[in-house]
Amino acid sequence: MTTNTQDPGLIRSLTVLPAARHDVELHTADGLTLVGELARPAEVPPAATLVTLHPLPTHGGYMDSHVLRKAAWRLPALADLAVLRFNTRGTVSPRGRSGGAFDGGVGERFDVHAAIEYAEFHDLPNRWLVGWSFGTELALMHGRDPSIEGAILLSPPLHRATDADLDAWAELGKPLVVLVPELDDYLRPDEARRRFARVPQAEVIGVDGAKHLWVGESAVRRVLDEIVAHVLPDHEIPLPTHWAGPSTTAEDDA
């Protein structure tokens, strides 16, 4: 990474804002070690915490999938959020390989529980799940924990998660915020509204022009703004697009 301490500049795709970043390990109830990273605000306690769940690892998803990585690069500085990212079982990234093997969303229940427990044990406050694609399935199937505030779902395919999972969320009563790209490959806004109607507290937000992978800065900014708006309702939105302090530039955009 290169360092930049110039006058206010545009936050670009590879901009990394200041944070306290630490490699972490999560330990599952079935004996696996999962690798990850916790990014916290550099100088203040976090106002809230995002426990992130990445897209399908058999199709290139991992803890560095770009929306989740940009959340970790930006939100500790822009919104005082802590961001926990990790590789689910059998998933590999530059951070390393998590133990075990991909289990189609079944054994991954232990991974979700380990991440929530890590955040709870380390007193990370106001914990929200943020799942993307396959990660939304994990949140819906395995994230119904009393210690979380709610879940934000990005591009939910609703392939593995069933109506029974949605009914369980309805009974739980925790918020579900559902961001659905207009041009999604799997589930589009009208169908998403129909499917999620059985969860009274679900808010389905269709995003015009967006696709499943949220490619492009405008799509990423919309996602991050929606996350902050729901996790920290009093925070000013939209988030700043320029940064005056020190920053670094990553070498590549996952």
Side-chain angles (χ1 to χ4, degrees), residues 86-150:
F86 68 99
N87 287 331
T88 56
R89 57 189 56 214
T91 303
V92 63
S93 75
R95 167 70 180 90
R97 178 185 293 276
S98 287
F102 175 69
D103 196 31
V106 179
E108 283 83 0
R109 69 186 183 277
F110 297 114
D111 306 353
V112 176
H113 298 163
I116 295 171
E117 289 170 2
Y118 180 95
E120 187 174 14
F121 181 79
H122 288 85
D123 296 323
L124 297 172
N126 191 20
R127 296 173 287 274
W128 283 73
L129 298 177
V130 177
W132 179 8
S133 194
F134 174 67
T136 70
E137 311 274 47
L138 299 186
L140 289 170
M141 294 188 297
H142 309 310
R144 300 186 301 271
D145 189 284
S147 75
I148 67 160
E149 300 296 323

